[in-house]
Coordinates of all heavy atoms in Angstrom, one line a residue:
M1 N 60.8 54.6 128.4 CA 62.1 55.3 128.5 C 63.3 54.5 127.9 O 64.3 55.1 127.5 CB 62.4 55.5 130.1 CG 63.4 56.6 130.4 SD 63.2 58.2 129.7 CE 62.3 58.9 131.0
T2 N 63.1 53.3 127.7 CA 64.2 52.4 127.0 C 64.2 52.8 125.5 O 65.4 52.7 125.0 CB 63.9 50.9 127.3 OG1 62.7 50.6 126.7 CG2 63.9 50.6 128.8
A3 N 63.1 53.1 125.0 CA 63.2 53.5 123.6 C 64.0 54.7 123.3 O 64.8 54.8 122.3 CB 61.8 53.7 123.0
L4 N 63.9 55.7 124.2 CA 64.8 56.9 124.1 C 66.3 56.6 124.5 O 67.1 57.2 123.8 CB 64.2 58.0 125.1 CG 64.8 59.3 125.1 CD1 64.4 59.9 123.7 CD2 64.2 60.2 126.1
K5 N 66.5 55.7 125.3 CA 67.9 55.3 125.6 C 68.5 54.6 124.4 O 69.6 54.9 124.0 CB 67.9 54.3 126.7 CG 69.3 53.8 127.0 CD 69.4 52.9 128.2 CE 70.8 52.4 128.5 NZ 70.9 51.5 129.6
Y6 N 67.7 53.7 123.7 CA 68.3 53.1 122.5 C 68.4 54.1 121.4 O 69.4 54.0 120.5 CB 67.4 51.9 122.1 CG 67.4 50.8 123.0 CD1 66.2 50.2 123.6 CD2 68.7 50.2 123.4 CE1 66.4 49.1 124.5 CE2 68.7 49.1 124.2 CZ 67.6 48.7 124.8 OH 67.7 47.5 125.6
L7 N 67.6 55.1 121.3 CA 67.8 56.2 120.2 C 69.0 56.9 120.5 O 69.8 57.1 119.5 CB 66.6 57.1 120.2 CG 66.7 58.2 119.3 CD1 66.7 57.9 117.9 CD2 65.6 59.3 119.6
F8 N 69.3 57.3 121.8 CA 70.5 58.0 122.1 C 71.8 57.2 121.8 O 72.8 57.7 121.4 CB 70.5 58.5 123.6 CG 69.6 59.7 123.8 CD1 69.0 60.0 125.0 CD2 69.3 60.5 122.8 CE1 68.2 61.1 125.2 CE2 68.5 61.7 122.9 CZ 67.9 61.9 124.2
M9 N 71.7 55.9 122.2 CA 72.8 55.0 122.0 C 73.1 54.8 120.5 O 74.3 54.8 120.2 CB 72.5 53.6 122.6 CG 72.6 53.6 124.1 SD 72.1 51.9 124.9 CE 73.4 50.9 124.2
T10 N 72.1 54.7 119.7 CA 72.3 54.6 118.3 C 72.9 56.0 117.7 O 73.9 55.8 116.9 CB 70.9 54.4 117.5 OG1 70.4 53.2 118.1 CG2 71.1 54.1 116.0
L11 N 72.4 57.1 118.2 CA 73.0 58.3 117.7 C 74.5 58.5 118.1 O 75.2 59.0 117.5 CB 72.2 59.5 118.3 CG 70.9 59.8 117.6 CD1 70.1 60.8 118.3 CD2 71.0 60.2 116.1
F12 N 74.7 58.0 119.4 CA 76.1 58.1 119.9 C 77.0 57.2 119.2 O 78.1 57.7 118.8 CB 76.0 57.5 121.4 CG 77.3 57.8 122.1 CD1 77.7 59.0 122.5 CD2 78.1 56.7 122.5 CE1 78.9 59.2 123.2 CE2 79.3 56.8 123.2 CZ 79.7 58.1 123.6
I13 N 76.6 56.1 118.7 CA 77.4 55.3 117.8 C 77.7 55.8 116.5 O 78.8 55.8 116.0 CB 76.8 53.8 117.8 CG1 76.9 53.1 119.1 CG2 77.5 53.0 116.7 CD1 76.1 51.8 119.2
I14 N 76.6 56.3 115.9 CA 76.7 57.0 114.6 C 77.7 58.2 114.7 O 78.5 58.5 113.8 CB 75.4 57.4 114.1 CG1 74.5 56.2 113.7 CG2 75.5 58.3 112.8 CD1 73.1 56.4 113.4
V15 N 77.5 59.0 115.8 CA 78.3 60.2 115.9 C 79.8 59.9 116.1 O 80.7 60.5 115.6 CB 77.8 61.2 117.0 CG1 78.8 62.2 117.5 CG2 76.5 61.8 116.7
S16 N 80.0 58.8 116.9 CA 81.4 58.4 117.1 C 82.0 57.9 115.9 O 83.2 58.2 115.7 CB 81.3 57.2 118.1 OG 80.8 57.5 119.3
I17 N 81.3 57.1 115.0 CA 81.9 56.7 113.8 C 82.2 57.8 112.8 O 83.3 57.9 112.3 CB 81.0 55.6 113.1 CG1 81.0 54.3 114.0 CG2 81.5 55.3 111.7 CD1 80.0 53.3 113.6
V18 N 81.2 58.7 112.7 CA 81.4 59.9 111.7 C 82.5 60.8 112.3 O 83.3 61.3 111.5 CB 80.1 60.6 111.6 CG1 80.3 61.9 110.8 CG2 79.1 59.8 111.0
L19 N 82.6 60.9 113.7 CA 83.6 61.8 114.1 C 85.0 61.2 113.8 O 85.9 62.0 113.5 CB 83.5 62.0 115.6 CG 84.5 62.8 116.4 CD1 84.3 64.2 115.9 CD2 84.1 62.8 117.9
T20 N 85.1 59.9 113.9 CA 86.4 59.3 113.6 C 86.8 59.5 112.2 O 88.0 59.8 111.9 CB 86.4 57.7 114.0 OG1 86.0 57.6 115.4 CG2 87.7 57.0 113.7
I21 N 85.9 59.3 111.4 CA 86.2 59.5 109.9 C 86.5 61.0 109.6 O 87.4 61.2 108.8 CB 84.9 59.1 109.0 CG1 84.7 57.5 109.2 CG2 85.0 59.5 107.7 CD1 83.5 57.1 108.6
V22 N 85.8 61.9 110.1 CA 86.1 63.3 109.9 C 87.4 63.7 110.5 O 88.2 64.5 109.8 CB 85.0 64.2 110.4 CG1 85.4 65.7 110.4 CG2 83.7 64.0 109.7
I23 N 87.9 63.2 111.6 CA 89.1 63.5 112.2 C 90.3 62.9 111.4 O 91.3 63.6 111.1 CB 89.2 63.0 113.6 CG1 88.4 63.8 114.5 CG2 90.7 62.9 114.1 CD1 88.3 63.4 116.0
M24 N 90.0 61.8 110.8 CA 91.0 61.2 109.9 C 91.2 62.0 108.5 O 92.2 61.9 107.9 CB 90.6 59.7 109.6 CG 90.7 58.8 110.8 SD 92.3 58.8 111.6 CE 93.2 57.7 110.5
M25 N 90.1 62.7 108.1 CA 90.2 63.4 106.9 C 91.0 64.6 107.0 O 91.3 65.3 106.1 CB 88.7 63.8 106.4 CG 88.0 62.6 105.9 SD 86.3 63.0 105.5 CE 86.4 64.6 104.6
Q26 N 91.1 65.2 108.2 CA 91.9 66.4 108.5 C 93.3 66.4 108.1 O 93.9 65.4 108.2 CB 91.7 66.9 109.9 CG 90.3 67.3 110.2 CD 90.2 67.9 111.6 OE1 91.2 67.9 112.4 NE2 89.0 68.2 112.0
E27 N 93.8 67.5 107.6 CA 95.2 67.6 107.3 C 96.0 67.9 108.4 O 95.6 68.6 109.4 CB 95.4 68.7 106.2 CG 94.7 68.3 104.9 CD 94.9 69.3 103.8 OE1 95.8 70.3 104.0 OE2 94.2 69.4 102.9
G28 N 97.3 67.5 108.4 CA 98.2 67.8 109.5 C 98.7 69.2 109.5 O 98.5 69.9 108.5
E29 N 99.3 69.7 110.6 CA 99.8 71.0 110.6 C 101.1 71.0 109.8 O 101.9 70.2 109.8 CB 100.2 71.3 112.1 CG 99.0 71.5 113.0 CD 98.1 72.7 112.7 OE1 98.7 73.7 112.3 OE2 96.9 72.7 112.7
D30 N 101.3 72.1 109.1 CA 102.5 72.3 108.2 C 103.5 73.1 108.9 O 104.4 73.7 108.1 CB 102.0 72.9 106.9 CG 101.2 72.0 106.0 OD1 101.2 70.7 106.4 OD2 100.6 72.4 105.1
A31 N 103.5 73.2 110.1 CA 104.5 74.0 110.9 C 105.8 73.2 111.3 O 106.4 73.5 112.3 CB 104.0 74.7 112.0
G32 N 106.2 72.3 110.4 CA 107.3 71.5 110.8 C 108.6 72.2 110.4 O 108.9 73.3 110.9
L33 N 109.4 71.6 109.6 CA 110.8 72.1 109.3 C 110.6 73.4 108.4 O 111.6 74.1 108.4 CB 111.6 71.1 108.6 CG 111.9 69.9 109.4 CD1 112.7 68.9 108.5 CD2 112.8 70.3 110.6
G34 N 109.6 73.6 107.7 CA 109.3 74.8 106.9 C 109.3 76.1 107.8 O 109.8 77.0 107.3
S35 N 108.9 76.0 108.9 CA 108.9 77.1 109.8 C 110.2 77.5 110.3 O 110.6 78.7 110.6 CB 107.9 77.0 111.0 OG 108.5 75.9 111.8
L36 N 111.2 76.6 110.3 CA 112.6 76.8 110.7 C 113.4 77.6 109.7 O 114.2 78.5 109.9 CB 113.3 75.5 111.0 CG 112.9 74.7 112.2 CD1 113.6 73.4 112.3 CD2 113.0 75.6 113.5
S37 N 113.0 77.4 108.4 CA 113.7 78.1 107.3 C 113.2 79.5 107.1 O 113.6 80.2 106.2 CB 113.7 77.2 106.1 OG 112.3 77.1 105.7
G38 N 112.0 79.9 107.8 CA 111.6 81.2 107.6 C 110.5 81.3 106.5 O 110.0 82.4 106.1
Q39 N 110.0 80.2 106.1 CA 108.9 80.2 105.0 C 107.6 80.6 105.7 O 107.3 80.3 106.8 CB 108.7 78.9 104.4 CG 109.9 78.4 103.6 CD 109.7 77.0 103.1 OE1 108.7 76.3 103.5 NE2 110.5 76.5 102.2
S40 N 107.0 81.6 105.1 CA 105.8 82.1 105.6 C 104.5 81.2 105.2 O 104.4 80.8 104.1 CB 105.4 83.5 105.1 OG 104.2 84.0 105.5
L41 N 103.8 81.0 106.1 CA 102.5 80.1 105.8 C 101.4 81.0 105.5 O 100.2 80.5 105.4 CB 102.2 79.2 107.0 CG 103.3 78.1 107.3 CD1 102.9 77.4 108.6 CD2 103.4 77.2 106.1
E42 N 101.5 82.2 105.5 CA 100.4 83.2 105.2 C 100.2 83.2 103.6 O 100.9 83.9 103.0 CB 100.7 84.5 105.7 CG 100.7 84.8 107.2 CD 99.3 84.5 107.7 OE1 98.3 84.9 107.1 OE2 99.1 83.8 108.7
T43 N 99.3 82.3 103.1 CA 99.0 82.3 101.7 C 97.5 82.6 101.7 O 96.7 82.8 102.6 CB 99.3 81.0 101.2 OG1 98.4 80.1 101.9 CG2 100.8 80.5 101.3
Y44 N 97.0 82.7 100.4 CA 95.6 83.0 100.2 C 94.8 81.9 100.8 O 93.8 82.1 101.5 CB 95.3 83.0 98.6 CG 93.9 83.1 98.3 CD1 93.3 84.3 98.5 CD2 93.2 82.0 97.9 CE1 91.9 84.4 98.2 CE2 91.8 82.1 97.6 CZ 91.2 83.4 97.8 OH 89.8 83.4 97.5
W45 N 95.2 80.6 100.7 CA 94.4 79.5 101.3 C 94.5 79.5 102.8 O 93.4 79.1 103.4 CB 94.9 78.2 100.7 CG 94.7 78.1 99.2 CD1 95.7 78.1 98.3 CD2 93.4 78.1 98.5 NE1 95.2 78.1 97.0 CE2 93.9 78.1 97.0 CE3 92.2 78.1 98.8 CZ2 93.0 78.0 96.2 CZ3 91.2 78.0 97.8 CH2 91.6 78.1 96.5
S46 N 95.5 80.0 103.4 CA 95.6 79.9 104.8 C 94.6 81.0 105.5 O 94.1 80.9 106.6 CB 97.0 80.0 105.4 OG 97.4 81.3 105.1
K47 N 94.5 82.1 104.7 CA 93.7 83.2 105.2 C 92.2 82.9 105.0 O 91.4 83.5 105.7 CB 94.1 84.5 104.4 CG 95.4 85.0 104.8 CD 95.7 86.3 104.0 CE 97.1 86.8 104.2 NZ 97.5 87.9 103.4
N48 N 91.8 82.1 104.1 CA 90.4 81.8 103.8 C 90.1 80.4 104.1 O 89.3 79.7 103.4 CB 90.1 82.0 102.2 CG 90.2 83.5 101.9 OD1 89.7 84.3 102.7 ND2 90.9 83.8 100.7
K49 N 90.6 79.9 105.2 CA 90.4 78.5 105.6 C 88.9 78.2 106.0 O 88.4 77.2 105.8 CB 91.2 78.1 106.7 CG 92.7 77.7 106.4 CD 93.4 77.2 107.6 CE 94.7 76.7 107.2 NZ 95.6 76.2 108.3
G50 N 88.2 79.3 106.5 CA 86.8 79.1 106.8 C 85.9 78.8 105.6 O 84.8 78.2 105.8
R51 N 86.3 79.1 104.5 CA 85.5 78.9 103.2 C 85.9 77.8 102.4 O 85.2 77.3 101.4 CB 85.4 80.1 102.4 CG 84.8 81.3 103.1 CD 84.7 82.5 102.2 NE 85.0 83.7 103.0 CZ 85.7 84.6 102.6 NH1 86.2 84.7 101.5 NH2 86.0 85.6 103.4
S52 N 87.0 77.1 102.8 CA 87.6 76.1 102.0 C 87.0 74.7 102.6 O 86.3 74.7 103.6 CB 89.1 76.1 102.2 OG 89.6 75.8 103.4
K53 N 87.5 73.6 102.0 CA 87.1 72.2 102.4 C 87.6 72.1 103.9 O 86.9 71.5 104.7 CB 87.7 71.2 101.5 CG 87.4 69.9 101.9 CD 88.0 68.9 101.0 CE 88.2 67.6 101.7 NZ 89.5 67.1 101.6
E54 N 88.8 72.5 104.1 CA 89.4 72.3 105.4 C 88.7 73.0 106.5 O 88.5 72.4 107.6 CB 90.9 72.7 105.4 CG 91.6 72.4 106.7 CD 93.0 72.8 106.7 OE1 93.6 73.0 105.5 OE2 93.7 73.1 107.7
G55 N 88.2 74.2 106.2 CA 87.4 74.9 107.1 C 86.0 74.3 107.4 O 85.6 74.2 108.6
V56 N 85.5 73.7 106.5 CA 84.2 72.9 106.7 C 84.4 71.7 107.5 O 83.6 71.5 108.4 CB 83.6 72.6 105.3 CG1 82.4 71.7 105.5 CG2 83.2 73.9 104.5
V57 N 85.5 71.1 107.3 CA 85.8 69.9 108.1 C 86.0 70.3 109.5 O 85.6 69.5 110.5 CB 87.1 69.1 107.4 CG1 87.5 68.0 108.4 CG2 86.7 68.6 106.0
V58 N 86.7 71.4 109.8 CA 87.0 71.7 111.1 C 85.6 72.2 111.8 O 85.4 71.8 113.0 CB 87.9 73.0 111.2 CG1 88.0 73.6 112.5 CG2 89.3 72.6 110.8
K59 N 84.7 72.8 111.1 CA 83.4 73.1 111.7 C 82.6 71.9 112.0 O 81.9 71.8 113.0 CB 82.6 74.1 110.8 CG 83.3 75.5 110.6 CD 82.6 76.4 109.7 CE 83.2 77.7 109.5 NZ 82.7 78.5 108.6
V60 N 82.5 70.9 111.0 CA 81.8 69.7 111.2 C 82.4 69.0 112.5 O 81.7 68.3 113.2 CB 81.8 68.8 110.0 CG1 81.3 67.5 110.2 CG2 81.0 69.5 108.9
T61 N 83.7 68.9 112.5 CA 84.4 68.3 113.8 C 83.9 68.9 115.0 O 83.6 68.2 116.0 CB 85.9 68.4 113.6 OG1 86.3 67.8 112.4 CG2 86.6 67.6 114.7
T62 N 83.8 70.2 115.1 CA 83.3 71.0 116.3 C 82.0 70.6 116.7 O 81.7 70.2 117.9 CB 83.5 72.5 116.1 OG1 84.8 72.7 115.7 CG2 83.1 73.2 117.5
V63 N 81.1 70.5 115.7 CA 79.7 70.2 116.0 C 79.5 68.7 116.4 O 78.8 68.4 117.4 CB 78.9 70.4 114.6 CG1 77.5 69.8 114.9 CG2 78.8 72.0 114.3
L64 N 80.3 67.8 115.8 CA 80.3 66.4 116.2 C 80.8 66.2 117.6 O 80.4 65.4 118.3 CB 81.0 65.5 115.2 CG 80.4 65.3 113.9 CD1 81.2 64.7 112.8 CD2 79.0 64.6 114.0
V65 N 81.9 66.9 117.9 CA 82.4 66.8 119.3 C 81.4 67.2 120.3 O 81.3 66.5 121.4 CB 83.8 67.5 119.4 CG1 84.2 67.7 120.9 CG2 84.8 66.9 118.6
I66 N 80.8 68.3 120.1 CA 79.8 68.8 121.0 C 78.6 67.8 121.2 O 78.2 67.6 122.2 CB 79.3 70.2 120.6 CG1 80.3 71.3 120.7 CG2 78.0 70.6 121.4 CD1 80.0 72.6 120.1
A67 N 78.1 67.2 120.0 CA 77.1 66.3 120.0 C 77.5 65.0 120.8 O 76.8 64.4 121.6 CB 76.6 65.8 118.6
F68 N 78.8 64.6 120.6 CA 79.4 63.4 121.2 C 79.3 63.6 122.8 O 78.9 62.7 123.5 CB 80.8 63.3 120.8 CG 81.5 62.1 121.5 CD1 81.4 60.9 121.0 CD2 82.3 62.3 122.6 CE1 82.0 59.8 121.5 CE2 83.0 61.2 123.3 CZ 82.9 60.0 122.6
F69 N 79.8 64.8 123.3 CA 79.7 65.0 124.7 C 78.4 65.2 125.2 O 78.1 64.7 126.4 CB 80.6 66.3 125.1 CG 82.1 66.0 125.1 CD1 82.9 66.4 124.1 CD2 82.6 65.2 126.0 CE1 84.2 66.2 124.1 CE2 83.9 64.9 126.1 CZ 84.7 65.4 125.1
V70 N 77.4 65.8 124.6 CA 76.1 65.9 125.0 C 75.4 64.6 125.1 O 74.7 64.3 126.1 CB 75.2 66.9 124.1 CG1 73.8 66.8 124.4 CG2 75.8 68.3 124.3
L71 N 75.6 63.7 124.1 CA 75.0 62.4 124.2 C 75.6 61.6 125.2 O 75.0 60.8 125.9 CB 75.2 61.7 122.9 CG 74.3 62.2 121.6 CD1 74.7 61.6 120.4 CD2 72.8 61.9 122.1
A72 N 76.9 61.7 125.5 CA 77.6 60.9 126.6 C 77.0 61.4 128.0 O 76.8 60.5 128.8 CB 79.0 61.2 126.5
V73 N 76.8 62.7 128.2 CA 76.2 63.1 129.4 C 74.8 62.6 129.6 O 74.3 62.1 130.6 CB 76.3 64.7 129.5 CG1 75.4 65.1 130.7 CG2 77.7 65.2 129.6
L74 N 74.0 62.7 128.5 CA 72.6 62.2 128.6 C 72.6 60.7 128.8 O 71.7 60.3 129.5 CB 71.9 62.6 127.2 CG 71.5 64.0 126.9 CD1 70.9 64.1 125.6 CD2 70.5 64.4 128.0
L75 N 73.5 59.9 128.3 CA 73.5 58.4 128.5 C 73.9 58.1 129.9 O 73.6 57.0 130.4 CB 74.4 57.8 127.4 CG 73.7 57.7 126.0 CD1 74.7 57.2 125.0 CD2 72.5 56.8 126.0
N76 N 74.6 59.0 130.6 CA 75.1 58.8 131.9 C 74.1 59.2 133.0 O 74.4 59.0 134.1 CB 76.5 59.3 132.1 CG 77.6 58.5 131.6 OD1 77.5 57.2 131.7 ND2 78.7 59.1 131.2
M77 N 73.1 59.8 132.6 CA 72.1 60.3 133.6 C 71.4 59.1 134.3 O 71.3 58.0 133.6 CB 71.1 61.2 133.0 CG 71.7 62.5 132.5 SD 70.5 63.5 131.6 CE 69.6 64.1 133.0
K78 N 71.0 59.2 135.4 CA 70.3 58.2 136.1 C 69.0 57.8 135.7 O 68.4 56.7 135.9 CB 70.2 58.6 137.7 CG 71.5 58.7 138.4 CD 72.2 57.4 138.6 CE 73.6 57.7 139.3 NZ 74.3 56.5 139.4
T79 N 68.4 58.7 134.8 CA 67.1 58.4 134.2 C 67.1 57.2 133.3 O 66.1 56.5 133.0 CB 66.4 59.6 133.6 OG1 67.4 60.0 132.5 CG2 66.3 60.7 134.5
F80 N 68.3 56.9 132.7 CA 68.3 55.8 131.7 C 68.9 54.5 132.3 O 69.3 53.6 131.7 CB 69.2 56.3 130.6 CG 68.6 57.3 129.7 CD1 69.3 58.5 129.7 CD2 67.5 57.1 129.2 CE1 68.8 59.5 128.9 CE2 67.0 58.1 128.4 CZ 67.6 59.3 128.2
A81 N 69.1 54.4 133.7 CA 69.6 53.3 134.4 C 68.6 52.1 134.1 O 67.4 52.3 134.2 CB 69.7 53.5 135.8
L82 N 69.1 50.9 133.9 CA 68.2 49.7 133.7 C 68.0 49.1 135.0 O 68.6 48.9 135.8 CB 69.0 48.8 132.7 CG 69.0 49.3 131.3 CD1 69.8 48.2 130.5 CD2 67.7 49.5 130.7

């Protein structure tokens, strides 16, 4: 059972590092002062975010967050207690 625990711990560390990198790659929200002047953010790129690089980064972030929480729950189970 300890081999499985070490496998989960290794995956948890890898997911944590990759999640940190992917979150740092994301762009900030552009709804700052431009939204006060009435500029519209509805452009071609904002409508097609799912197919752009930013959309892929958001999807990868979602998958990594789910994996992070699943691994955290698995590592906290009593079956892996030393």
Side-chain angles (χ1 to χ4, degrees):
M1 198 55 91
T2 59
L4 191 58
K5 179 182 178 179
Y6 289 126
L7 174 70
F8 285 157
M9 286 175 61
T10 304
L11 285 173
F12 188 71
I13 292 169
I14 291 170
V15 166
S16 300
I17 292 170
V18 173
L19 182 62
T20 303
I21 292 169
V22 169
I23 288 174
M24 296 299 287
M25 286 175 48
Q26 290 183 357
E27 295 179 14
E29 293 292 325
D30 292 344
L33 294 176
S35 63
L36 292 176
S37 65
Q39 293 177 350
S40 175
L41 293 176
E42 288 295 320
T43 62
Y44 174 76
W45 296 112
S46 66
K47 291 179 183 175
N48 293 318
K49 280 187 178 179
R51 293 183 225 139
S52 67
K53 177 188 157 225
E54 184 180 338
V56 172
V57 171
V58 169
K59 289 176 186 176
V60 169
T61 303
T62 305
V63 170
L64 287 172
V65 166
I66 292 170
F68 179 85
F69 281 111
V70 168
L71 287 170
V73 168
L74 286 174
L75 286 171
N76 276 331
M77 294 177 75
K78 297 290 183 187
T79 57
F80 295 120
L82 291 178

